[in-house]
Amino acid sequence: MLLSGADIIVKILIEQGCDTVFGYPGGQALNIYDSLYAHSNEINHILTAHEQGAAHAADGYARATGRVGVVFSTSGPGATNLVTGIATAYLDSIPLIAICGNVPTTHIGTDSFQEIDITGITLPITKHNYFVNDVEDLADILREAFRLAKSGRPGPVLIDVPKDVQIAKCEYEFQPAVEKEEPFAAKNDRINEAAKIINAAKQPYIYFGGGLITANAQAEMLALAEKIDAPIGCSLMGLSAIPTDYPRFLGMQGMHGHYTSSMAMHNADLILSLGVRFNDRVTGNRQKFATGAKIIHIDVDGSELFKTVDAVCGLRGDVKLTLEKLLPMLKENKKPEWRVKVEAFRQEEESCLDKREGLTPRKVILILNKYLGENTAVCTDVGQHQMWAAQNLNFKTPRRFISSGGLGTMGFGFGAAIGAAFGTKERSVLVTGDGSFGMNLNELATAVRYNIPIVILIMNNGVLGMVRQWQTLFYNKHYSNSVLERKTDFTAFAKSFGANGEAVTTPEELDEALSRAFRAEGPYIIDCKIDKDEFVLPMLPPGGSMDDIITNLEVEQ
Amino acid sequence: MNRYTVAVLVNNQFGVLNRVTSMFRRRRFNISSLTVSETETSELSRITVVFDGDDAGKQQLINHLYKLPDVCSIKEFSDDNSVSFELLLIKMKNETKSREDIRGAADAFGAIIVDYSKDYMMFRLTETTKRIDDFINLMREFTILEICRTGSVSLERSSTTIRQIINL
Ligand SMILES: Cc1ncc(C[n+]2csc(CCOP(=O)(O)OP(=O)(O)O)c2C)c(N)n1
Ligand SMILES: [Mg+2]
């Protein structure tokens, strides 16, 4: 079939199983949009308010479904608006394909109108990127891009398509969707070595991250934990992989991680790490990090092994396949003493929990928990509210906590919640802060236009709370540019965009507002007023170790 | 600080040199020499990089280079497992007072005269990096007009080839 480049792009998306694309048109993408018009019964295009929102939406769609998210933009400013979205996906290993129009090849390199070197710009934030010179290469490149985006450690791939390549014609033949590269288990000698170390451990601890969800290795991990009687914790990216109330699960790790899991990791003699990085937000001071523990590290990406911590045993391979081989080599054993110790940490944590009356941050999330269905995706922005959500949300299903971990992108949440709602075909929730929401609230226009049911819970403290927390603790309460002092009325804002909303100040009001929000047809904003001097606790001060952990704070006003 | 020499075999694709060198830049490795050329197969190019750093950083760098889809294989060279050479062109001022000394030194190093006029002499020297450094230092006694060197190229002392290395 003789088709134009633009038609080939759309045909291949359909052939690869993509049902929804997010994006924004413009001069150099007109041909692609013309093909979308022709194929509108086979593929859905969601027009956002801003390309950044589209990129985050494609990312949220990918996180919620495990499939590849796709975003379109025009050249120049359209393409540069994608950059934060692509970087966010890159740092969290999310499969994403960005397709940008560009000026015709005859104009490339002449600084013509809206020409930008987007392959140059995105070089360090993509797994790979392509500039398509010839329409004959286009189909192969697109298929290769899908394969790359989802294979091994997933990530974003960008394809820059000049306008003349979109217009030029060539033969297209349907092909079935590309498979990801065959996953492989780690080498046997490494697995043997790891088994020996695990069998000798007295206080093992399992630490997992987003890689466990990507590898879909939850069952294997739980079987292993049962067999060797180990407690489990995770990174921010690992949240929702297993149910929060799973008895062995101690919660999130890191700077604002749960006390129990952080203490268990600190006291372990073995940390078995699965599909997770040892980011500085997790380790604190690397020299003082879990000094008594041996580290076994399993990851598909060999470059993560030995990168920031000295593992005694690094295993490069698919987590699921590697665990499958490792499991039969492990001795079943019970560790009552270790259990008692971990239980003691749990008691300590229980005693530090925030049990104050009123609309405390923890209370906000606990009330929200009552409304979450098995399949509700909760997306967050970045700041204190993100940590409160991560600490207190009750997860039931994998891929239902969506948050920017590696890049920490304020403004991520709204786009992601739009994408997640399309991915799950259900109402999604956005837990955001007044600062973060201000960055991309334009997407309310999108949510209203497509009548997407999203519960938007703004934890409104009037400040850039996370910045304020650091200023309180480490900068002598010099609140430089972290007090918002805005006069935004979020309820009126919601109405002006054609949505609904209300403000709440007490737990009872929040409860009622949520019951309305979860029945609303479209987006619904809840402006939830909380105090500006709430803290995210516990806190492992930057560069500190578990000995420096802050579990409660009385800040005199 | 150690000095490392690695050869990176890459797809002979537009922009690939940029991808490889960008990895060095992102990890703050200073490249002391770099050569690129096509190889025995036209689809592949070979990039030889000499750089300074520590073992852990170097290993990270190699691991990350392997993640580039255009990188086929990487070979690290040490002095005893490889042969390394580079080429120097050096242009010296031609003066009666120094002419004989320069030519004597060039002979001692095996440098060959490739151009000669009453104002200047140009020599070519194919040698190890160390020997070329020594030669240039010696020439500093006289008046150097201009030098240009290619950077090191290396091959392993063995019948195996870089193409036979399997990814990690
Ligand atoms: C795009 C972006 N800019 C700046 C930051 C730095 N930063 C991290 S948290 C934060 C404050 C967030 O404020 P808000 O959204 O109101 O959340 P809160 O901490 O008050 O819950 C800032 C400015 C960031 N993470 N992302
Ligand atoms: Mg705030």
Side-chain angles (χ1 to χ4, degrees):
Chain A
M1 198 178 354
L2 197 64
L3 292 182
S4 71
D7 283 335
I8 290 175
I9 291 173
V10 175
K11 278 281 184 201
I12 289 203
L13 293 186
I14 296 166
E15 136 198 318
Q16 298 299 317
C18 165
D19 56 11
T20 309
V21 196
F22 303 86
Y24 211 100
Q28 309 305 333
L30 279 168
N31 292 74
I32 301 176
Y33 276 81
D34 199 47
S35 299
L36 278 174
Y37 188 84
H39 294 93
S40 57
N41 55 347
E42 290 166 279
I43 192 163
N44 204 5
H45 178 275
I46 307 303
L47 175 68
T48 54
H50 187 294
E51 289 87 351
Q52 187 186 350
H56 292 323
D59 175 328
Y61 176 93
R63 291 184 203 232
T65 59
R67 301 210 293 272
V68 180
V70 182
V71 59
F72 282 168
S73 81
T74 188
S75 64
T80 54
N81 274 348
L82 296 178
V83 169
T84 302
I86 295 171
T88 304
Y90 184 69
L91 269 284
D92 286 343
S93 313
I94 305 303
L96 182 80
I97 288 184
I99 299 176
C100 305
N102 208 337
V103 300
T105 47
T106 46
H107 290 52
I108 292 281
T110 63
D111 297 327
S112 60
F113 180 63
Q114 296 194 330
E115 179 195 347
I116 201 80
D117 173 17
I118 196 63
T119 48
I121 290 174
T122 57
L123 191 75
I125 53 166
T126 49
K127 242 182 126 171
H128 197 48
N129 61 24
Y130 301 88
F131 179 90
V132 187
N133 246 318
D134 184 344
V135 70
E136 296 285 342
D137 303 333
L138 182 60
D140 285 348
I141 286 177
L142 286 162
R143 291 178 183 128
E144 179 70 7
F146 270 91
R147 194 182 58 77
L148 271 177
K150 57 187 177 185
S151 294
R153 177 180 184 171
V157 179
L158 178 137
I159 304 151
D160 196 14
V161 192
K163 185 157 182 165
D164 53 337
V165 176
Q166 298 171 31
I167 295 169
K169 294 199 159 146
C170 87
E171 266 316 306
Y172 161 85
E173 232 175 89
F174 172 87
Q175 283 186 20
V178 291
E179 297 285 336
K180 64 177 173 194
E181 279 163 25
E182 197 60 44
F184 56 89
K187 294 205 181 95
N188 283 333
D189 56 331
R190 289 297 168 86
I191 295 181
N192 288 335
E193 196 186 327
K196 274 197 204 116
I197 299 170
I198 297 172
N199 283 332
K202 297 204 164 56
Q203 308 199 146
Y205 175 79
I206 297 174
Y207 165 53
F208 71 86
L212 188 89
I213 302 178
T214 305
N216 202 8
Q218 290 90 328
E220 290 73 13
M221 177 194 66
L222 293 180
L224 189 148
E226 293 305 330
K227 196 161 183 186
I228 66 166
D229 198 9
I232 309 170
C234 68
S235 67
L236 181 84
M237 292 304 298
L239 282 174
S240 85
I242 58 173
T244 308
D245 53 15
Y246 189 83
R248 288 184 182 280
F249 183 56
L250 309 182
M252 178 178 77
Q253 209 66 64
M255 180 175 273
H256 294 299
H258 283 268
Y259 180 79
T260 319
S261 55
S262 298
M263 285 304 279
M265 180 133 141
H266 190 60
N267 284 279
D269 67 352
L270 168 69
I271 300 172
L272 176 58
S273 331
L274 310 173
V276 70
R277 302 193 283 140
F278 289 87
N279 184 276
D280 52 290
R281 281 287 184 275
V282 162
T283 60
N285 183 335
R286 280 176 189 144
Q287 266 66 49
K288 295 193 208 147
F289 171 72
T291 41
K294 292 181 170 162
I295 296 173
I296 296 177
H297 195 176
I298 307 181
D299 205 294
V300 264
D301 180 356
S303 75
E304 282 302 335
L305 309 175
F306 315 104
K307 186 169 85 174
T308 53
V309 295
D310 292 324
V312 289
C313 185
L315 297 91
R316 172 171 175 252
D318 178 76
V319 177
K320 189 184 183 82
L321 297 180
T322 304
L323 288 184
E324 271 172 7
K325 285 192 156 183
L326 184 59
L327 258 172
M329 305 171 76
L330 300 181
K331 287 204 261 315
E332 174 125 29
N333 79 44
K334 294 280 165 261
K335 303 185 170 69
E337 286 167 29
W338 180 217
R339 268 184 178 233
V340 170
K341 273 194 197 172
V342 173
E343 197 43 46
F345 300 142
R346 211 197 273 273
Q347 301 288 331
E348 280 176 61
E349 168 161 337
E350 183 62 33
S351 70
C352 308
L353 280 181
D354 180 359
K355 297 181 193 84
R356 289 169 298 156
E357 294 294 310
L359 202 51
T360 60
R362 177 159 182 263
K363 191 77 71 51
V364 172
I365 305 297
L366 295 184
I367 297 172
L368 172 64
N369 274 335
K370 297 200 297 178
Y371 292 89
L372 301 178
E374 292 279 325
N375 202 25
T376 316
V378 182
C379 304
T380 77
D381 268 305
V382 171
Q384 291 184 310
H385 63 275
Q386 175 190 32
M387 293 298 123
W388 288 319
Q391 291 174 338
N392 298 304
L393 276 169
N394 187 13
F395 303 108
K396 301 173 185 115
T397 315
R399 301 188 173 280
R400 292 298 172 263
F401 179 66
I402 295 178
S403 192
S404 167
L407 197 65
T409 309
M410 288 172 72
F412 165 77
F414 204 167
I418 291 174
F422 278 104
T424 59
K425 301 192 164 55
E426 279 196 26
R427 187 186 310 277
S428 63
V429 175
L430 167 63
V431 177
T432 182
D434 43 344
S436 298
F437 191 59
M439 288 207 173
N440 277 333
L441 46 69
N442 49 5
E443 295 305 339
L444 188 60
T446 313
V448 168
R449 162 171 176 185
Y450 294 98
N451 204 23
I452 312 168
I454 301 177
V455 176
I456 300 161
L457 180 61
I458 307 174
M459 298 185 74
N460 187 353
N461 49 10
V463 290
L464 302 174
M466 189 55 96
V467 173
R468 185 180 178 88
Q469 176 163 346
W470 284 56
Q471 288 170 334
T472 304
L473 295 173
F474 313 118
Y475 291 87
N476 300 314
K477 300 188 192 165
H478 296 164
Y479 297 122
S480 172
N481 292 279
S482 60
V483 184
L484 290 170
E485 291 175 333
R486 290 178 184 163
K487 295 210 161 58
T488 316
D489 175 345
F490 287 113
T491 310
F493 158 72
K495 300 225 160 92
S496 73
F497 269 58
N500 265 317
E502 59 185 295
V504 302
T505 53
T506 65
E508 296 72 34
E509 284 173 11
L510 174 62
D511 211 339
E512 284 166 25
L514 281 168
S515 72
R516 282 186 283 275
F518 275 84
R519 286 197 310 265
E521 261 195 33
Y524 196 98
I525 291 183
I526 299 175
D527 178 3
C528 181
K529 314 277 193 204
I530 58 168
D531 191 79
K532 64 181 186 311
D533 280 308
E534 295 286 354
F535 286 94
V536 182
L537 294 172
M539 179 175 193
L540 211 83
S545 72
M546 277 308 289
D547 304 328
D548 311 309
I549 195 163
I550 307 170
T551 49
N552 61 65
L553 267 180
E554 292 295 322
V555 175
E556 70 285 10
Q557 298 303 307
Chain B
M1 278 290 226
N2 302 318
R3 175 149 287 201
Y4 303 99
T5 305
V6 296
V8 188
L9 196 69
V10 298
N11 289 331
N12 188 0
Q13 286 265 346
F14 170 87
V16 66
L17 177 63
N18 190 205
R19 292 178 196 279
V20 169
T21 53
S22 159
M23 239 3 138
F24 286 79
R25 180 187 60 77
R26 281 151 70 184
R27 297 191 158 64
R28 301 245 168 270
F29 277 107
N30 191 23
I31 294 177
S32 60
S33 96
L34 175 79
T35 68
V36 196
S37 65
E38 285 192 2
T39 59
E40 59 282 358
T41 26
S42 65
E43 303 90 71
L44 299 175
S45 295
R46 184 177 181 119
I47 303 176
T48 308
V49 195
V50 180
F51 60 99
D52 296 321
D54 59 31
D55 274 349
K58 180 240 353 176
Q59 198 49 50
Q60 269 302 305
L61 180 83
I62 290 178
N63 290 345
H64 279 93
L65 284 173
Y66 263 124
K67 285 166 65 172
L68 296 175
D70 281 331
V71 168
C72 306
S73 55
I74 300 174
K75 172 81 197 163
E76 192 186 336
F77 298 105
S78 65
D79 287 346
D80 37 305
N81 78 359
S82 65
V83 177
S84 299
F85 279 107
E86 64 172 308
L87 174 76
L88 166 78
L89 289 178
I90 185 165
K91 211 189 276 177
M92 303 297 299
K93 190 157 188 197
N94 194 351
E95 292 167 314
T96 331
K97 62 176 180 353
S98 60
R99 182 175 304 132
E100 283 318 306
D101 287 345
I102 292 175
R103 297 194 57 167
D107 278 349
F109 272 81
I112 295 162
I113 292 199
V114 288
D115 200 12
Y116 191 98
S117 82
K118 67 179 179 18
D119 315 319
Y120 78 93
M121 302 179 265
M122 196 195 300
F123 296 92
R124 182 190 77 201
L125 176 59
T126 308
E127 254 303 352
T128 60
T129 298
K130 168 85 175 58
R131 291 275 292 167
I132 288 184
D133 289 344
D134 290 347
F135 182 61
I136 293 171
N137 277 334
L138 191 55
M139 287 297 115
R140 290 192 200 284
E141 303 277 322
F142 316 107
T143 311
I144 299 175
L145 295 175
E146 203 173 11
I147 66 176
C148 180
R149 50 203 287 189
T150 56
S152 197
V153 291
S154 307
L155 284 180
E156 190 184 9
R157 293 180 187 275
S158 139
S159 63
T160 58
T161 72
I162 189 171
R163 276 170 293 139
Q164 292 164 324
I165 305 172
I166 304 150
N167 193 337
L168 283 181

